[in-house]
Amino acid sequence: MPINPVTFQATIQNTQAVLAQKGAEDARPEVNQQNLTVTVTKDAEQAQRTVAKKSESAKEGALNPDGDGGGAAFSDSGSKKKKKKEIAEESDGRVIKKGAFVSFDVKV
């Protein structure tokens, strides 16, 4: 059995496009590293600004003699007391049995 010569069907490539693509692929790890470095630096700066801002506001609150203090900024402005007063005003003092069926669920 004779061996036939191998024939290739080759096309001429656009060398400029191939070189540009190869260069981009070679530079990709370096670009990724630079992007990562910039991102980490920005995150660290943002965290530092946030910590500094919180510490400044804490100092202002601690040194402010006219401030409410005691978590007044986070309070619900007495809404629970208002609800209790409304319930007390609406009720006439009678006890009403709500349902005939009473059950307890206990898991051990």
Side-chain angles (χ1 to χ4, degrees):
M1 171 167 179
I3 298 176
N4 292 333
V6 178
T7 58
F8 292 107
Q9 290 187 1
T11 58
I12 300 174
Q13 295 180 350
N14 186 353
T15 6
Q16 294 296 327
V18 172
L19 287 175
Q21 184 179 4
K22 178 68 174 160
E25 288 176 0
D26 291 342
R28 186 174 296 138
E30 295 168 0
V31 171
N32 287 344
Q33 182 65 34
Q34 288 173 349
N35 291 339
L36 181 65
T37 303
V38 169
T39 304
V40 169
T41 305
K42 285 182 181 179
D43 290 346
E45 289 173 359
Q46 179 66 30
Q48 190 172 11
R49 277 190 237 123
T50 305
V51 169
K53 189 175 182 181
K54 286 181 181 178
S55 65
E56 287 175 8
S57 64
K59 287 179 185 176
E60 289 174 6
L63 300 177
N64 187 1
D66 298 331
D68 295 331
F74 300 105
S75 69
D76 59 355
S77 67
S79 65
K80 288 184 181 179
K81 290 181 183 178
K82 291 177 186 176
K83 286 181 184 177
K84 284 183 181 180
K85 285 182 183 178
E86 289 175 5
I87 292 173
E89 291 173 359
E90 292 175 2
S91 67
D92 56 354
R94 292 185 297 150
V95 177
I96 301 171
K97 189 173 183 180
K98 293 230 176 184
F101 180 72
V102 179
S103 67
F104 293 97
D105 291 333
V106 179
K107 291 184 179 181
V108 180

